[in-house]
Amino acid sequence: TGTKQFFDSQTFEVMPHSYLKDKNGVYKTGEWITEIEGANPKTIKVLSDFYLKDDKNIFNGYGQKIDKADLNSFEVLGQKGYYAKDKNSVYYSGEKVEGANAKTFKIISDDFYSKDDKNVHVSRSKYKRLKVIENADRDTFEVMKKDIRYSKDKNNIYFVSKSLYDEYDTYFEQGGIIKMKGADKNSFVIEKNDFSYDKNSVYFMGKKINGINSAGFKIISNLNSDFSFFLIDNKNLYKFITIFSEDTDEIVETKLVPVKNPKVDITSFESVKKFFTNYYRDKSNVYYYDADYKELKRLEGADRNSFISLEGNFGKDNKNVFYNGNKLEGVNSDGLEILDE
């Protein structure tokens, strides 16, 4: 297979970041153990997970020589070791960053943002390179503390979608840097689940949601889906639905649907429990969200004060047991035990 199988036992050594060496060579571990061609085991030094050096060359984490890297001025930057620079160039994840100025380059935050005298960059871990935030003002650029994906300068707020930094995320392949045009920096609030709002608008993943007010905005819960939610403003209850491509698993459309029937009290409407439930309540009633028919229905006769949500779409109050929003006749809620699915 061309992979290393045997080592010299007398000189074998495990180095930092899972690199190996013996008297014959230097090796990178992974799915296979492969030799780093040209590396000198007598002088090799591991600088980070992504960089090594010997007496003649700099190597990246892929086991390749970094062409024209200056040995004497080369240094690794940042806590995680993605970044490096020498007197001539900047490197990210072992590859040269074209156009970056090594003399003025510096990391801004948590190995995620960086800048030089011309541009602000964000790290694209998924693609192992840096991306320029177009027209960002480098002098006033700053990271918004609550969520590193949000940043701002004197002109704009920016949102970085998950595909830029999450190597394992499959839903946002078309993601990138979204300039949130018109967002008000003074009233801007970062919410959970990729929502945000200001005094004028509500946003999802950096994009404005038309038809909902920021006044009274609340996220009630997700609808047994990672990216569909019940939302509330000062006028109505809404279903916010995300539609995915069957081919790529990417979000291709979002819909905001007002819930007109049944009529709920929006000031008291809430999820019965914090996570993973289809049961809801307001000051007077209990409701069930039917995921198959995608509709909310009122549970007739359910007591909102004693109602609790149980596993497996069961729920109960002080008298009755419900399954998938339907009352189970003859089942006593007192002492109820769910044994399995």
Side-chain angles (χ1 to χ4, degrees):
T1 63
T3 62
K4 186 70 174 177
Q5 296 179 347
F6 302 102
F7 301 92
D8 178 73
S9 62
Q10 298 301 313
T11 59
F12 178 77
E13 182 180 337
V14 178
M15 297 188 294
H17 301 287
S18 298
Y19 290 99
L20 311 171
K21 73 174 183 176
D22 62 12
K23 69 177 184 179
N24 300 310
V26 180
Y27 313 95
K28 174 179 173 56
T29 63
E31 190 173 355
W32 299 279
I33 298 175
T34 55
E35 184 171 359
I36 300 176
E37 293 185 10
N40 185 343
K42 294 181 180 180
T43 60
I44 196 70
K45 182 178 180 181
V46 178
L47 304 179
S48 77
D49 195 15
F50 305 94
Y51 304 98
L52 307 90
K53 67 183 288 188
D54 64 11
D55 56 325
K56 293 182 179 180
N57 296 293
I58 303 291
F59 302 87
N60 63 24
Y62 306 107
Q64 303 162 333
K65 291 180 184 178
I66 300 180
D67 187 41
K68 298 181 180 180
D70 182 73
L71 195 66
N72 294 323
S73 62
F74 191 89
E75 61 176 321
V76 174
L77 307 173
Q79 297 177 352
K80 299 176 183 177
Y82 286 95
Y83 295 90
K85 72 175 184 177
D86 59 23
K87 66 180 183 178
N88 301 312
S89 302
V90 175
Y91 308 90
Y92 178 76
S93 191
E95 296 185 0
K96 183 178 177 180
V97 180
E98 296 297 335
N101 187 338
K103 293 181 180 179
T104 59
F105 182 85
K106 66 177 183 178
I107 299 171
I108 298 174
S109 174
D110 192 36
D111 289 354
F112 193 54
Y113 296 97
S114 59
K115 68 179 181 179
D116 59 15
D117 59 330
K118 294 181 180 179
N119 295 305
V120 177
H121 317 89
V122 63
S123 62
R124 299 196 70 171
S125 295
K126 185 177 179 67
Y127 303 106
K128 306 301 184 194
R129 63 179 185 268
L130 297 185
K131 181 176 176 65
V132 172
I133 302 179
E134 297 292 341
N135 300 317
D137 182 76
R138 63 175 303 281
D139 294 324
T140 60
F141 184 87
E142 62 179 300
V143 181
M144 302 180 77
K145 294 181 180 179
K146 186 173 181 179
D147 189 330
I148 196 172
R149 290 174 297 160
Y150 292 88
S151 58
K152 64 181 179 179
D153 60 19
K154 67 179 183 179
N155 300 313
N156 297 291
I157 293 176
Y158 307 92
F159 176 80
V160 178
S161 75
K162 292 185 177 180
S163 69
L164 287 186
Y165 71 95
D166 188 347
E167 187 171 359
Y168 303 101
D169 196 289
T170 59
Y171 292 108
F172 301 103
E173 295 291 335
Q174 291 179 342
I177 301 164
I178 298 172
K179 185 184 295 184
M180 300 178 66
K181 295 181 180 179
D184 180 72
K185 294 189 289 293
N186 295 323
S187 61
F188 192 81
V189 176
I190 299 171
E191 268 286 2
K192 60 184 179 180
N193 300 115
D194 296 321
F195 289 95
S196 57
Y197 66 94
D198 60 19
K199 65 180 181 179
N200 301 311
S201 303
V202 178
Y203 308 87
F204 178 67
M205 292 179 58
K207 296 182 179 180
K208 182 180 176 181
I209 305 173
N210 294 317
I212 188 170
N213 299 320
S214 59
F217 173 71
K218 288 194 298 184
I219 305 166
I220 300 302
S221 79
N222 63 330
L223 307 180
N224 269 0
S225 164
D226 288 337
F227 300 105
S228 293
F229 300 86
F230 272 135
L231 306 177
I232 276 178
D233 64 10
N234 59 352
K235 293 183 178 180
N236 212 345
L237 170 68
Y238 307 87
K239 286 191 297 181
F240 181 75
I241 301 167
T242 52
I243 300 171
F244 293 88
S245 165
E246 294 181 359
D247 298 324
T248 64
D249 282 336
E250 296 167 4
I251 292 178
V252 296
E253 185 182 359
T254 61
K255 290 183 179 180
L256 185 72
V257 182
V259 177
K260 300 295 186 181
N261 186 32
K263 186 68 176 176
V264 305
D265 178 71
I266 60 172
T267 60
S268 60
F269 188 81
E270 64 181 1
S271 174
V272 169
K273 70 176 183 178
K274 192 171 183 179
F275 300 110
F276 307 114
T277 182
N278 281 342
Y279 290 98
Y280 302 84
R281 64 185 169 203
D282 61 16
K283 65 180 182 180
S284 304
N285 298 291
V286 179
Y287 305 88
Y288 176 78
Y289 180 70
D290 191 319
D292 292 329
Y293 291 95
K294 294 180 170 52
E295 63 180 11
L296 187 70
K297 66 179 184 180
R298 182 183 295 113
L299 297 189
E300 299 296 338
D303 178 67
R304 63 93 54 211
N305 294 320
S306 61
F307 193 92
I308 59 174
S309 176
L310 305 171
E311 60 186 285
N313 280 348
F314 285 93
K316 72 172 186 175
D317 61 15
N318 56 2
K319 294 182 180 180
N320 298 301
V321 177
F322 300 83
Y323 178 67
N324 285 342
N326 299 301
K327 188 170 77 170
L328 298 181
E329 297 295 339
V331 179
N332 189 356
S333 67
D334 186 22
L336 175 73
E337 182 180 357
I338 301 172
L339 299 178
D340 56 29
E341 294 183 359

